[in-house]
Amino acid sequence: MKKQRFGLIGSGWRAEFYIRIAKLLPEQLELTGVVIRDSDKGAAFAKKFSVPVVQTLDELLEDRPDFVVLSINRDFVTDYLVRLFERKVPVLCETPPGKTVADLEELWESSQASGANIQVAEQYFLQPLYAAWLQVMEEGRLGEVENMSISALHGYHAVSMIRKMLNVPYERCVIQGKRFSFRVTETADRGGFVVDGEVMTRDRDRLTFEFENGKTAFFDFSGVQYHSYIRTRQLNVQGTRGEIDDLTVRYLAEDGTPVTQELQRIDLGVYNNQEWAHQGIMLGERYVYKSPFPTGRLNDDEIAIADCLVRMGHYVQTGESFYSLREALQDTYVSIKMEEALSRPNEEIIVDRMIWAE
């Protein structure tokens, strides 16, 4: 596949991922420019990251990128998307596309009216561990998956994983739950280790999703889990013939023999190896996930975002979707309903079938 050339709108923490990835994978990706409207901020950004910076969308499009990545605050997403739709520019949207259900419905109608070419950078299902878990399920080792407990992701990210793992694309469901608060010592943040011993009070959300087909998800998450060495992630998925319990996979062989295996991560650059790259994840003697960038010095989230960029290029060329606006709208809609459930403890909140699901 030819090198993918993309423009970037945004300059925040998440936008910086795209810059790093393009620099780490120069044979596959090229960043054509970054839109920053403030000229002083843009000049400082260009110097810091050694990237071309422009002030307007028109300037960005002059270099004819294959697509544009939109990575800005949710308050401004819709306006930019409509402008890109009108110009027939393919767009990979990073931020959840709207704050209210009305916003989501308006965006769907606009995309349909304009024939928009859009995908959304929901990357977690492309991260190595999540991709390995999904592969085990797709192989049928668990049988029919009927329930799961997830304590790993917040909001729409968790909804995306629940829908994929339970295979409930747009089903109606009932959500109920409650928000709790507990104290925990901070150990890390986006900048790295935190060692001052400060104890913080953090919310912990617990919700139950009961889908109309009988499948059920139990959600349990505290935001500290993203950056903590004493609050890690947990996943349990149960099917008729087996379960995934974090890194342990239990299932029945074809002859009914119970089998227990562990997922094993394979990396270069550890224990005296002088390279650094993630190779994949093995279950027993075979890979259930292989990195699409086996020589790239990328962390798991960067691998997933890079995969989104490559898949976006493939989508532009072939029309083959990997995470559509329809899916993003559904995940965002359900996450809005999650917040409603948390604001009304233990009440049943109905998730209905929306216009993009038809």
Side-chain angles (χ1 to χ4, degrees):
M1 183 181 293
K2 72 179 185 70
K3 180 186 293 190
Q4 306 304 317
R5 304 177 68 253
F6 68 95
L8 175 63
I9 302 174
S11 58
W13 177 79
R14 178 57 74 179
E16 292 177 11
F17 276 67
Y18 293 93
I19 296 171
R20 288 199 303 273
I21 290 165
K23 290 179 180 293
L24 289 167
L25 300 173
E27 295 181 358
Q28 294 170 274
L29 300 167
E30 178 186 345
L31 176 63
T32 63
V34 182
V35 173
I36 300 177
R37 290 181 296 179
D38 183 284
S39 58
D40 292 337
K41 182 180 177 181
F45 193 89
K47 182 178 180 180
K48 179 179 180 180
F49 294 102
S50 298
V51 294
V53 172
V54 296
Q55 290 182 267
T56 68
L57 179 59
D58 286 341
E59 291 176 284
L60 184 72
L61 298 181
E62 284 178 3
D63 205 15
R64 302 177 65 84
D66 297 319
F67 57 90
V68 168
V69 173
L70 185 59
S71 182
I72 59 175
N73 186 286
R74 194 186 305 196
D75 292 335
F76 306 104
V77 168
T78 300
D79 288 344
Y80 261 114
L81 282 176
V82 171
R83 291 170 63 189
L84 290 163
F85 292 167
E86 291 173 346
R87 294 166 179 258
K88 307 297 183 184
V89 177
V91 56
L92 178 63
C93 181
E94 168 67 35
T95 308
K99 297 179 68 174
T100 68
V101 175
D103 290 340
L104 303 182
E105 291 176 326
E106 180 182 350
L107 181 57
W108 175 249
E109 291 172 351
S110 173
S111 70
Q112 293 302 102
S114 62
N117 291 319
I118 178 172
Q119 297 287 283
V120 178
E122 173 51 53
Q123 79 275 20
Y124 278 96
F125 76 103
L126 299 174
Q127 277 196 6
L129 182 56
Y130 293 98
W133 281 331
L134 287 167
Q135 179 62 29
V136 171
M137 293 177 219
E138 289 169 7
E139 291 174 354
R141 293 182 180 274
L142 307 188
E144 179 70 15
V145 173
E146 295 186 338
N147 74 89
M148 65 181 291
S149 299
I150 184 168
S151 180
L153 305 168
H154 80 279
Y156 52 91
H157 296 310
V159 175
S160 172
M161 205 56 58
I162 287 168
R163 290 195 308 110
K164 287 181 181 296
M165 289 183 170
L166 292 182
N167 191 24
V168 286
Y170 303 99
E171 274 77 359
R172 295 180 178 88
C173 75
V174 176
I175 304 176
Q176 57 185 137
K178 187 176 180 180
R179 174 167 284 161
F180 303 84
S181 295
F182 301 103
R183 296 190 307 149
V184 61
T185 303
E186 298 287 314
T187 60
D189 58 23
R190 287 179 175 178
F193 284 105
V194 174
V195 296
D196 59 10
E198 183 177 7
V199 177
M200 304 286 287
T201 298
R202 294 285 190 159
D203 291 337
R204 181 172 178 177
D205 299 338
R206 303 200 71 171
L207 296 156
T208 300
F209 297 73
E210 297 181 75
F211 294 90
E212 59 182 348
N213 61 4
K215 296 187 177 185
T216 303
F218 305 100
F219 170 88
D220 177 2
F221 187 69
S222 176
V224 72
Q225 288 175 254
Y226 279 131
H227 301 284
S228 178
Y229 291 92
I230 58 173
R231 295 288 188 270
T232 187
R233 53 100 183 95
Q234 297 174 329
L235 180 87
N236 182 276
V237 181
Q238 296 183 333
T240 56
R241 292 184 61 83
E243 75 169 9
I244 292 172
D245 187 23
D246 212 13
L247 300 181
T248 302
V249 181
R250 299 180 178 90
Y251 61 95
L252 298 176
E254 291 184 5
D255 64 359
T257 302
V259 178
T260 300
Q261 294 180 315
E262 297 289 323
L263 292 168
Q264 299 290 337
R265 184 183 178 98
I266 310 299
D267 294 305
L268 298 177
V270 294
Y271 301 125
N272 209 40
N273 188 301
Q274 294 184 1
E275 296 85 8
W276 162 245
H278 175 60
Q279 299 295 290
I281 295 177
M282 299 185 75
L283 184 66
E285 61 184 16
R286 64 189 187 82
Y287 281 96
V288 288
Y289 171 80
K290 286 187 175 182
S291 172
F293 314 103
T295 61
R297 292 174 174 260
L298 307 170
N299 66 34
D300 284 10
D301 211 34
E302 290 167 342
I303 288 172
I305 295 169
D307 205 351
C308 284
L309 286 167
V310 172
R311 289 172 186 243
M312 182 64 188
H314 184 69
Y315 165 76
V316 171
Q317 295 175 40
T318 68
E320 183 178 337
S321 175
F322 68 93
Y323 187 84
S324 66
L325 179 62
R326 176 183 276 112
E327 292 181 88
L329 292 172
Q330 182 70 11
D331 291 338
T332 306
Y333 165 59
V334 177
S335 71
I336 290 171
K337 289 295 185 179
M338 290 170 67
E339 289 300 318
E340 183 180 343
L342 292 169
S343 70
R344 297 161 58 184
N346 301 320
E347 290 187 32
E348 291 189 346
I349 304 300
I350 305 298
V351 173
D352 214 336
R353 193 167 176 87
M354 303 302 287
I355 56 174
W356 52 78
E358 302 304 329

